Amino acid sequence: MQSIEPPQHDISSAQVGGPGIILRNHRTEPQTHAFYNNYWNGNGTAGANFDKPDPIITVSANDSVFVPLPESFKGRVQRDTLLPATWAEFQISADNDGAAHGDISLQQGCDGAATIASTDGSGRFNGFQHDIVGGAPEAAVRYKPDGTRALDTTVGNWNGGPNLAAIEWENEQVGQRRAYIVGGSGTDDVASANKCLAVDFY
């Protein structure tokens, strides 16, 4: 597994203020990202939203934007609206401490690297920054509806059950501590007391 460097955020072009997400696109072409607020939230459970993204944000190449969100937001952001996709899961204001909390999840697939980081000066971050899709075994791959190569789900969905080859590859390349691969526990939480997290897509 490769080491991870603390993400650096040049947000001079983004007007940052209040609760939300600093969203960075590290690619050399514009990228569209979709935010999904959960349908419902319970104690350690949630009703994932798969069909009503809001907002949808386009980020220019190698640029950052600040996306303001309500404190009630609990959900995710991903590249475009298609699966499989890497998820940055987060809530803006947790019930227990009022801080933003987040992680990276590969349970519904992986279409590239991502990190999530605090912006309150605490230096917390997690995720991964290297490409694990390009060199993956074909048994671990599922192509998106638009033809983009990605890694398949590790937990299953309407397209089929868990992909064991994807689970094995992601455990070798990333590991459960850096991103949720099979759910449960073992992935480090990132908290930011100022209700603002930075999400980088690579």
Side-chain angles (χ1 to χ4, degrees), residues 17-35:
I21 295 293
I22 299 169
L23 185 62
R24 179 163 182 81
N25 170 27
H26 285 261
R27 297 193 176 180
T28 56
E29 67 278 343
Q31 291 282 301
T32 298
H33 299 83
F35 288 77

Side-chain angles (χ1 to χ4, degrees), residues 53-140:
D54 183 30
I56 296 176
I57 303 292
T58 298
V59 185
S60 300
N62 295 306
D63 199 8
S64 299
V65 297
F66 174 69
V67 183
L69 294 168
E71 291 189 22
S72 61
F73 191 101
K74 296 182 180 182
R76 73 180 187 277
V77 59
Q78 64 175 70
R79 291 181 187 86
D80 62 56
T81 60
L82 304 175
L83 292 180
T86 306
W87 287 10
E89 305 174 310
F90 63 90
Q91 57 181 319
I92 294 296
S93 182
D95 293 338
N96 63 335
D97 62 3
H101 290 261
D103 59 71
I104 301 300
S105 173
L106 306 180
Q107 295 179 102
Q108 288 298 335
C110 174
D111 60 355
T115 58
I116 192 164
S118 62
T119 65
D120 61 358
S122 60
R124 298 184 181 96
F125 63 94
N126 206 5
F128 62 105
Q129 297 161 322
H130 59 291
D131 174 33
I132 67 169
V133 177
E138 285 301 316

Side-chain angles (χ1 to χ4, degrees), residues 13 31 37-38 52 84-85 89 112 117 123 137 151 164 175 192:
S13 62
Q31 291 282 301
N37 202 355
N38 292 338
K52 289 182 169 50
E89 305 174 310
L151 300 182
L164 300 182
S192 195

Side-chain angles (χ1 to χ4, degrees), residues 181-200:
I181 296 171
V182 293
S185 61
T187 303
D188 291 345
D189 170 73
V190 174
S192 195
N194 61 354
K195 305 181 192 296
C196 180
L197 292 162
V199 175
D200 290 44

